[in-house]
Amino acid sequence: MKIPYKNIYDVLRTNRFIVLAVIIGATLTCTVSVLMVVKLHKETVNNAFVVNTDGSVIPLKLVSQRENLKVEALAHLELFHSYFYNIDASNYEKNLEKALWLGNSSVDALYRQKKADGVYNRLLQYSLVQKVLKIESKIDIQNDPYKFETRTLFEINRGSVTDTYELVTTGYLIHVDRNFPKNTHGLLITDFFESTLRKVHNGQ
């Protein structure tokens, strides 16, 4: 009885086909896996995740976070300068107390210096009204701590005379824990400095 042997070349051809198929499949699998890992990495870098109250995970774009940071930083600076410079005999203690929650010891040192110089005593003695008219801030959110410069336009009403001034202040913002309602933005002013003060004449 003759045993039917397959042609050795057919067997080798079949084995080669199987090996090539396995290699191609493995290559495609590795390529797809690498592409998926790269895509996942990019998505992870560009997203932050928070857990909602119902347990769901919410992605937050870092770009959006940066935009939100700028909005909050500008709001923080406007709030601080309003409290610190929009004062009169009836509200200065309350406003200054709120302002001190928004800055560090550099703000407190300036407050104590103004107090020692009799600024607030004159406010009471002459019933002065210091009213903020406009606040404009520039801030660099690319580097932490965030450097800022703020121009505050305010007027001092002395009864029959009203003078207008422009004050330029500088400093930095750092992150701190949010404190409701005393520091809702979770930012703190450091290295606060009154850079320049000039009287603004009518028409300027």
Side-chain angles (χ1 to χ4, degrees):
M1 182 178 180
K2 188 181 286 185
I3 300 174
Y5 289 100
K6 287 186 177 181
N7 189 301
I8 187 67
Y9 294 107
D10 292 337
V11 174
L12 292 175
R13 190 179 298 111
T14 302
N15 288 343
R16 184 171 60 181
F17 174 77
I18 294 173
V19 170
L20 287 175
V22 170
I23 291 174
I24 292 172
T27 302
L28 289 175
T29 302
C30 291
T31 303
V32 171
S33 299
V34 170
L35 291 176
M36 289 182 66
V37 169
V38 171
K39 181 181 177 182
L40 181 61
H41 174 71
K42 288 182 178 179
E43 289 179 352
T44 303
V45 169
N46 291 325
N47 288 273
F49 299 90
V50 295
V51 179
N52 200 3
T53 52
D54 60 359
S56 60
V57 177
I58 305 173
L60 296 174
K61 294 291 184 182
L62 290 180
V63 174
S64 298
Q65 285 184 324
R66 193 171 293 278
E67 289 174 354
N68 291 339
L69 171 61
K70 186 172 184 179
V71 171
E72 286 205 80
L74 293 175
H76 186 88
L77 291 171
E78 183 169 356
L79 190 63
F80 168 78
H81 285 82
S82 294
Y83 284 146
F84 203 73
Y85 296 106
N86 197 84
I87 54 177
D88 57 41
S90 64
N91 70 8
Y92 83 96
E93 289 184 330
K94 178 180 65 178
N95 280 10
L96 291 174
E97 181 182 355
K98 292 178 180 178
L100 291 174
W101 276 97
L102 307 179
N104 73 346
S105 57
S106 62
V107 174
D108 183 64
L110 179 60
Y111 160 71
R112 292 180 184 277
Q113 182 61 49
K114 287 178 177 288
K115 188 175 182 179
D117 292 341
V119 172
Y120 306 120
N121 284 338
R122 288 194 294 274
L123 196 74
L124 294 172
Q125 184 177 357
Y126 300 107
S127 298
L128 303 180
V129 176
Q130 185 169 295
K131 182 181 179 181
V132 170
L133 304 175
K134 189 176 182 181
I135 299 171
E136 291 183 343
S137 296
K138 296 178 181 178
I139 184 166
D140 178 14
I141 60 171
Q142 301 301 320
N143 301 302
D144 189 1
Y146 313 114
K147 186 177 181 179
F148 72 84
E149 178 183 277
T150 300
R151 293 181 181 273
T152 304
L153 190 69
F154 65 92
E155 64 180 19
I156 298 180
N157 188 315
R158 297 181 172 87
S160 59
V161 178
T162 300
D163 294 320
T164 304
Y165 298 89
E166 183 188 64
L167 173 68
V168 177
T169 55
T170 59
Y172 294 87
L173 285 175
I174 61 173
H175 288 283
V176 294
D177 291 336
R178 295 179 189 267
N179 186 323
F180 296 93
K182 295 176 178 177
N183 189 335
T184 56
H185 296 112
L187 296 167
L188 195 71
I189 294 172
T190 67
D191 301 316
F192 187 65
F193 181 67
E194 292 184 340
S195 179
T196 61
L197 175 67
R198 71 181 183 94
K199 190 173 182 179
V200 178
H201 300 286
N202 293 335
Q204 265 189 284

